[in-house]
Amino acid sequence: MSDERPIGVIGVGWVGLVTATCFAELGHPVVAMDIDPQKVRALSRGRVPIHEPGIAELLERNGERLTFTTEMEDVLESARLLFCCVDTPPTYSGDADLSRVQAVVSQLPEDGQYALVMKSTVPSGTGRAICRDAPGIAYVSCPEFLKEGTAVQDFLHPDRVVIGAGAGAEWAAAEVEGLYRPLGGKIVRTDVASAEMIKLAANAFLATKISFINEIANVCEEVGADVTEVARGMGLDRRIGPAFLRAGAGYGGSCFPKDVSALKQLAGNTGYHFQLLTAVIEVNELQKRRIIGKLQKHLGPLAGKTIALLGLAFKPDTDDMREASSLVLASRLQGEGATVRGYDPVSREAAAKLLPSIELTDSATDALDGADAAVIVTEWPEFAELDWGSLRDRMAKPVVVDGRNFLDARAMRAAGFAYEGIGLANDGARPNEAESAESAEAAPR
Ligand code: UGA
């Protein structure tokens, strides 16, 4: 048994669980605390309460290095470096709700022994306030850049690790750097406010890239260009890069919508109107409305029509439905009087809670049976493997709106579908010259 002091992890949600299991994988003892006894019980028995590739294996392999508890005392007894991973959900006004962070700070002794390493996303200024109000706690800002679905790989192979040390926290920053250095990413040592801003600015920039390519897609539809070709050509410029240029139904998840609003709000609180982010948010909303417009183009009024949503999670490889496009689409479609069915390979449980008024099916095929149209909301690989040729006959109308440009457009059209993506050239035809509802209905069965 190692006599190394354990790393403390406070909050075992998605960020905390990835942090805890990855540090254990790197050979460190970890004591992880969460106020939810059910979660702690499940993890202590080796059961992972979230869908994140690789976590179950890490938990199984490193069980003896990981302790889960509901008691803060258990953490404070042995750990000195405490990674704060509690969530900071947006409030109604768009500000981040910091009550959970404040609850953690209030439980830490101010005897100069403990360091709080902030992984939770907090607005710029939070660290400074904690340093001011609790000077006996060494404060380090170390924002996380993990992506759901690839979090384990992202943790173990970071592009960079940002470490902002508060006053008197150099010892803690050096320890944090020591933990991450073996992973090989660039280490950015900076001050607390800049570290916090790096996190918000990075997420806001990525969201801006997505809204930008979505607007390009909308223009492509008007001029008969293909956004996937445009993104490919743009992305080859190293100053632009190919990542986050996939047009679609807009970004979702627990991070981009929250962080873009938080940054906009943060700027607003200082009297600065962040115009660009206002547009980024508006474009993201508009993308979902465009899906409804595309369905109406093929089906006319949606009242009484049955629409199958394929994919409910905010992206593949996660069961997370926070701010997922499916939520907005389902409620808009129901508002139009449509009957909505939904299928997702892993987020059925979350969907049952968040979308209680839609019919959840056990398979994509069941969702499509007799449906007037399908919308690809999440690009789960299994949707590309469906036998669309035979499914066409099972649908009432062969209409597919692909909100992720995921299926093979040519193959779908060749199979007799009225198929629309986002910003895709329509085999040379302008989108408004594409197959109409009538021709879709007349498609050979
Ligand atoms: C995002 C960031 O990518 C992470 O670096 C960051 O750590 C994390 O937020 C966070 O702040 O915790 P995540 O929300 O897991 O990660 O998901 P992404 O893979 O970034 O996707 C976000 C959304 O953008 C998804 O809805 C996805 O479908 C959409 N997206 C992504 C696009 O519409 N187009 C793209 O080209 C890329």
Side-chain angles (χ1 to χ4, degrees):
M1 200 58 189
S2 131
D3 53 7
E4 181 186 343
R5 208 180 257 293
I7 294 168
V9 172
I10 303 169
V12 200
W14 177 79
V15 173
L17 191 52
V18 174
T19 304
T21 52
C22 285
F23 276 139
E25 173 76 359
L26 293 171
H28 304 290
V30 176
V31 50
M33 179 265 168
D34 199 288
I35 51 170
D36 179 349
Q38 240 177 325
K39 196 185 281 179
V40 167
R41 213 172 307 126
L43 286 163
S44 302
R45 291 180 186 154
R47 281 206 318 273
V48 181
I50 54 166
H51 179 90
E52 180 63 39
I55 293 283
E57 291 78 358
L58 292 190
L59 190 61
E60 193 183 342
R61 203 157 52 229
N62 301 294
E64 87 286 359
R65 277 194 281 271
L66 282 158
T67 308
F68 294 99
T69 176
T70 50
E71 302 305 318
M72 185 65 104
E73 274 170 24
D74 294 341
V75 181
L76 299 180
E77 213 170 77
S78 53
R80 293 293 172 267
L81 219 47
L82 313 171
F83 283 77
C84 181
C85 302
V86 297
D87 58 340
T88 53
T91 60
Y92 188 67
S93 65
D95 283 317
D97 173 0
L98 296 176
S99 56
R100 292 180 180 92
V101 170
Q102 281 150 359
V104 171
V105 174
S106 69
Q107 292 176 70
L108 302 188
E110 283 202 52
D111 56 6
Q113 283 197 71
Y114 295 95
L116 187 65
V117 185
M118 190 57 70
K119 286 302 240 179
S120 307
T121 300
V122 291
S124 216
T126 307
R128 192 179 300 146
I130 294 176
C131 293
R132 184 192 58 221
D133 299 342
I137 300 168
Y139 186 88
V140 177
S141 169
C142 182
E144 58 90 9
F145 299 102
L146 311 174
K147 296 186 290 304
E148 292 192 26
T150 56
V152 171
Q153 283 312 305
D154 293 344
F155 187 101
L156 298 173
H157 306 284
D159 287 342
R160 79 317 203 172
V161 177
V162 174
I163 303 171
E170 279 305 321
W171 65 270
E175 281 191 31
V176 173
E177 182 171 343
L179 290 174
Y180 282 103
R181 206 183 303 110
L183 301 177
K186 283 231 165 35
I187 303 281
V188 181
R189 284 287 284 269
T190 183
D191 59 275
V192 170
S194 302
E196 290 168 349
M197 197 62 175
I198 289 169
K199 164 71 185 184
L200 287 182
N203 269 2
F205 184 76
L206 292 170
T208 303
K209 246 182 139 179
I210 296 169
S211 279
F212 179 85
I213 201 66
N214 281 336
E215 290 223 275
I216 293 291
N218 299 342
V219 178
C220 282
E221 290 183 2
E222 294 305 315
V223 301
D226 184 326
V227 73
T228 52
E229 293 296 298
V230 176
R232 188 161 66 95
M234 284 170 63
L236 288 169
D237 184 328
R238 264 179 293 184
R239 294 168 302 175
I240 298 173
F244 285 72
L245 287 181
R246 276 181 289 113
Y251 59 79
S254 63
C255 305
F256 285 177
K258 172 181 78 142
D259 289 352
V260 174
S261 304
L263 181 51
K264 184 177 163 232
Q265 189 65 35
L266 177 72
N269 292 347
T270 71
Y272 182 78
H273 176 52
F274 205 141
Q275 297 193 49
L276 191 54
L277 292 187
T278 306
V280 167
I281 295 166
E282 273 174 24
V283 171
N284 201 48
E285 294 307 312
L286 179 75
Q287 279 318 97
K288 285 151 210 161
R289 252 177 273 146
R290 289 181 70 91
I291 301 260
I292 308 286
K294 283 170 190 282
L295 287 169
Q296 285 164 334
K297 185 178 107 186
H298 289 281
L299 301 175
L302 298 177
K305 303 282 182 349
T306 298
I307 311 295
L309 300 181
L310 297 190
L312 303 170
F314 85 97
K315 67 174 191 177
D317 270 331
T318 177
D319 58 352
D320 195 341
M321 283 185 58
R322 283 176 290 180
E323 303 279 337
S325 299
S326 60
L327 299 175
V328 179
L329 285 171
S331 91
R332 291 243 168 94
L333 287 167
Q334 287 181 323
E336 294 288 329
T339 300
V340 181
R341 286 191 197 146
Y343 166 71
D344 190 283
V346 302
S347 61
R348 200 192 158 104
E349 212 177 300
K353 283 191 202 128
L354 293 169
L355 289 172
S357 60
I358 76 166
E359 182 196 337
L360 295 172
T361 64
D362 291 329
S363 69
T365 309
D366 287 349
L368 294 170
D369 224 353
D372 292 290
V375 181
I376 308 287
V377 189
T378 316
E379 63 275 35
W380 284 102
E382 69 172 66
F383 300 150
E385 282 150 27
L386 291 171
D387 179 1
W388 284 99
S390 69
L391 283 170
R392 197 200 58 179
D393 296 336
R394 297 178 68 159
M395 291 177 69
K397 293 195 180 83
V399 176
V400 172
V401 177
D402 186 348
R404 298 289 164 196
N405 289 345
F406 182 57
L407 304 179
D408 181 334
R410 262 175 208 281
M412 289 298 285
R413 289 185 189 126
F417 280 94
Y419 171 89
E420 281 221 37
I422 308 291
L424 297 186
N426 238 329
D427 287 335
R430 295 276 301 278
N432 53 8
E433 294 162 358
E435 292 165 275
S436 65
E438 292 70 42
S439 61
E441 271 170 311
R445 293 285 168 111

